[in-house]
Amino acid sequence: MLRGSLGILLVILVATASYADPRAEAKAQVAFGIAAAQHGLWREATYRFERAVAIDASYAFAYNNLAVACEQQGLIEKARDAYEKALALAPDSELIRQNYELFKETHARSTGGVSR
Amino acid sequence: MRAALAACLVSIASGWLAGCAGMYPVAVTTRVPAELNVTPYSRLLVAGFVGGGIDDVDTNAETVRLLRSQLRAARSLTIISADAMPITRATLADPAFWRRVGEEYHNPLVLTGIVVLSSETHTDLGYGEREFFDDEGRRRIEMNRTAVEIETRTLTARLLYIDGQTGAIIHARVFREETSHAASQTVPALSSYFELMARLVPEVLGTVSDHTVVGPRTLLR
């Protein structure tokens, strides 16, 4: 049953990616990563988002998602780098900016960002 | 186990196929370490505070009692039970005094500072309702601007964390929180004090104990 399920997933991924340009392939990875994250499988999600940025380094949403996944796993510096890359690629994205502001607010203390 | 994993994978695939909108809200749980490195300490003394402001509230006694109970619940350090000390501004900056306190209580981390609850009243323009009857005798209500007396209560706190062995201040934080209400309302000063301290307490807990924060984020596609 497990093998069958994995087979279905593989077919879906390959079918999506085979016709695709790098962005479409990266989007397929991101879509899978989002589904994994929604089920709490953050390590799998991180892997998928890392694959996505490796495939298409200009995909801002993939960096945003990688940042969120890293944040969830306590990889704070890696999350910060990913948020900054996402914002550099999409400086007008309010949603990325909002995520980053929430991230900075949460982690201000550990980096000494709160007024003393 | 395999069946559960397979079901999970199929579920992921379904969600993946169904997800056509571009935004996916998720909750991120983050463990935030204590702001202050408290590993050299096993005990914390909430010594006392320089109080002031509204006479109705003894900010020294109330702050000591409140912070001790909240810090005990956080279970990060053993909270020393002792009477609230009468603290003056001069003692705050006296390392020798704090070294003596440290000796007495076996070199704890000491929390002290200044907590003042003050009040001031000002006039603001607000909206009120005016009832009248028009030319045809129908009852009407219109909004009109009217002067309203507003009382603002402000909690100003400077919290100092002192090393009981050296008497040195190792960490300091300043807070200013305020709340307002119509002066015509009767709001006990102690009620305002607790409302304002409720905003400050999480910051104190986060200073000496690890905690988790759950926050919303948006995944994008």
Side-chain angles (χ1 to χ4, degrees), chain A residues 1-2 5-6 9 12-13 16 27-28 30-39 41-42 49 59 61-62 64-65 68-69 71-72 76 83 93 95-96 98-99 102-103 106-107 109-110 114-116, chain B residues 2-3 5-13 15-17 22-35 171-174 202-207 209 211 213 215-221:
Chain A
M1 189 168 178
L2 177 62
S5 303
L6 284 170
L9 286 177
I12 291 167
L13 282 175
T16 310
K27 278 190 169 184
V30 161
F32 195 95
I34 289 172
Q38 287 175 318
H39 286 75
L41 302 172
W42 286 100
F49 299 142
Y59 190 10
F61 288 179
N64 169 79
N65 298 350
V68 172
E71 198 184 344
Q72 165 70 24
I76 305 308
Y83 275 128
S93 170
L95 287 167
I96 296 176
Q98 183 181 304
N99 278 340
L102 289 167
F103 165 83
T106 304
H107 298 283
R109 300 164 145 236
S110 53
V114 172
S115 61
R116 306 248 163 139
Chain B
R2 280 187 153 207
L5 183 56
C8 187
L9 288 169
V10 169
S11 172
I12 289 172
W16 178 57
L17 290 171
M23 296 181 293
Y24 302 82
V26 290
V28 168
T29 305
T30 311
R31 185 173 170 277
V32 180
E35 192 173 358
H171 188 72
R173 292 210 56 192
V174 174
E203 301 289 335
V204 176
L205 297 181
T207 302
S209 59
H211 58 289
V213 176
R217 300 288 186 274
T218 307
L219 297 174
L220 301 168
R221 184 178 151 199

Side-chain angles (χ1 to χ4, degrees), chain B residues 61-197:
Chain B
E62 294 294 348
T63 305
V64 166
R65 193 194 55 73
L66 179 64
L67 290 183
R68 280 182 187 168
S69 68
Q70 295 297 311
L71 286 161
R72 276 196 185 99
R75 295 166 185 239
S76 169
L77 296 165
T78 302
I79 309 302
I80 297 170
S81 296
D83 292 337
M85 295 178 184
I87 306 291
T88 65
R89 286 177 187 265
T91 53
L92 288 178
D94 182 357
F97 172 81
W98 294 112
R99 276 198 301 274
R100 285 196 298 277
V101 171
E103 278 174 25
E104 186 179 346
Y105 292 100
H106 308 291
N107 302 328
L109 175 64
V110 179
L111 175 55
T112 183
I114 303 168
V115 178
V116 176
L117 180 66
S118 57
S119 170
E120 66 176 30
T121 309
H122 67 279
T123 304
D124 207 350
L125 280 177
Y127 283 96
E129 289 182 353
R130 186 179 75 89
E131 183 185 275
F132 66 100
F133 292 88
D134 64 16
D135 296 342
E136 295 170 7
R138 288 174 298 199
R139 179 174 168 270
R140 301 281 192 192
I141 292 175
E142 72 173 13
M143 303 292 285
N144 62 349
R145 299 202 79 182
T146 180
V148 182
E149 286 281 301
I150 303 288
E151 181 178 5
T152 299
R153 288 180 178 152
T154 306
L155 184 81
T156 310
R158 181 164 183 254
L159 302 186
L160 304 175
Y161 296 81
I162 293 176
D163 177 46
Q165 189 164 16
T166 64
I169 296 170
I170 56 172
H171 188 72
R173 292 210 56 192
V174 174
F175 301 90
R176 188 178 188 281
E177 298 286 347
E178 60 182 40
T179 181
S180 297
H181 58 270
S184 57
Q185 288 180 288
T186 305
V187 179
L190 197 57
S191 169
S192 298
Y193 167 81
F194 283 121
E195 178 189 338
L196 297 169
M197 281 299 289

Side-chain angles (χ1 to χ4, degrees), chain A residues 72-94:
Chain A
Q72 165 70 24
Q73 292 174 92
L75 306 170
I76 305 308
E77 287 312 310
K78 199 171 169 184
R80 188 186 312 279
D81 287 348
Y83 275 128
E84 286 173 0
K85 278 179 185 156
L87 271 176
L89 290 166
D92 297 330
S93 170
E94 282 303 316

